[in-house]
Amino acid sequence: MGRKRIYKGENDVLDVFPAFTDLMSNAFMILSFFLLLALIESYRLNYNLADAIKKLEGSAKPILIDEQSGQFSFKSNSATLPIELRRYLLEDKIPEIAKVIETGNIDFIQVIGYTDSQEVNRAGNLDKKLDKVALNKEKVESLIPGSNADLGLMRALAIVQEIEKSGKIKNIRFQAYSAAQLYDQNGNIVEFNRKDDPKLRRIEIRFIPHGEKTKNK
């Protein structure tokens, strides 16, 4: 009787393989289903992100502030904002910035300062005072540029502080950068001629969407 049970048990063992195959097949189908769901969700998220960035790029082109756009220019070796520039910011550019921010897709805003290629032949003090100016403990006018890179940063910072002082742009981060005299209006590298060139003295405002890595010049 016992031996009969043993043979029956051996037959039962042999019958396990079809069941095991069915189990693995079902597990594979379930895993494939979840993988398909994950791929669909990934595609949906990527599509939504691409669509948001596309809409943002269409409505948030960089704002260029130069002599032609505002009937003004920075004075040579100066970051002081002319009266015309302050008015232009308040009446034209700040409302434009606020409209872009309403899309809700902006992470932060870059403000980039450009200069002409005239040499700055003096000792600067940005290493000593830049943090104080950035924290609004001192005015931009207290800074002395030691290079065009310094001067471009000072102009960008002056624009940032003027925008923030207006109180019309809130809950958004601004970052000031300098491109010095390196690029023209088309993004090409400038051949330095060391001349007074108001067209090169300008400000560019860029809107950085969520999830996009910053690409600074």
Side-chain angles (χ1 to χ4, degrees), residues 6-210:
I6 291 174
Y7 288 128
K8 184 177 181 181
E10 291 176 350
N11 290 335
D12 288 342
V13 171
L14 293 177
D15 291 337
V16 165
F17 290 102
F20 179 75
T21 302
D22 291 341
L23 178 62
M24 292 299 295
S25 177
N26 291 335
F28 178 76
M29 291 179 62
I30 293 172
L31 289 175
S32 299
F33 175 73
F34 281 113
L35 178 60
L36 179 61
L37 289 179
L39 290 174
I40 293 174
E41 180 65 12
S42 176
Y43 174 81
R44 185 185 68 82
L45 292 174
N46 288 333
Y47 177 83
N48 290 341
L49 178 60
D51 185 56
I53 292 176
K54 184 177 180 180
K55 290 179 180 178
L56 179 61
E57 290 175 344
S59 62
K61 295 180 180 180
I63 295 174
L64 183 64
I65 301 175
D66 59 11
E67 186 178 36
Q68 294 180 343
S69 65
Q71 306 301 317
F72 58 80
S73 65
F74 285 100
K75 292 182 179 180
S76 181
N77 285 327
S78 173
T80 300
L81 304 185
I83 295 176
E84 296 86 353
L85 176 50
R86 295 177 188 272
R87 184 183 302 116
Y88 184 61
L89 274 175
L90 185 63
E91 297 177 359
D92 293 88
K93 297 296 104 179
I94 291 178
E96 187 176 341
I97 293 171
K99 186 175 181 180
V100 173
I101 293 175
E102 288 177 359
T103 64
N105 295 317
I106 303 298
D107 190 7
F108 63 95
I109 297 175
Q110 290 181 345
V111 180
I112 306 170
Y114 296 80
T115 73
D116 59 24
S117 59
Q118 295 182 90
E119 292 186 48
V120 179
N121 293 314
R122 56 182 170 181
N125 67 354
L126 269 70
D127 288 346
K128 295 180 179 180
K129 306 186 72 171
L130 183 60
D131 60 331
K132 297 181 178 63
V133 174
L135 293 170
N136 288 307
K137 294 180 179 179
E138 293 189 26
K139 295 182 178 180
V140 174
E141 287 77 8
S142 68
L143 295 175
I144 300 174
S147 66
N148 279 316
D150 287 351
L151 186 57
L153 182 58
M154 288 166 54
R155 288 173 177 168
L157 191 56
I159 293 292
V160 169
Q161 292 188 343
E162 190 69 23
I163 293 173
E164 292 176 340
K165 187 172 68 175
S166 73
K168 297 181 180 297
I169 305 295
K170 299 178 180 179
N171 301 321
I172 193 75
R173 293 182 299 124
F174 286 87
Q175 294 183 354
Y177 295 94
S178 173
Q181 71 272 47
L182 195 55
Y183 301 102
D184 64 15
Q185 297 91 327
N186 298 316
N188 301 314
I189 294 178
V190 173
E191 183 176 351
F192 301 166
N193 58 25
R194 309 303 180 189
K195 296 180 180 179
D196 185 332
D197 191 346
K199 295 190 298 297
L200 293 177
R201 299 196 292 267
R202 66 197 190 279
I203 293 292
E204 186 175 353
I205 300 174
R206 289 184 171 272
F207 301 91
I208 308 302
H210 291 289

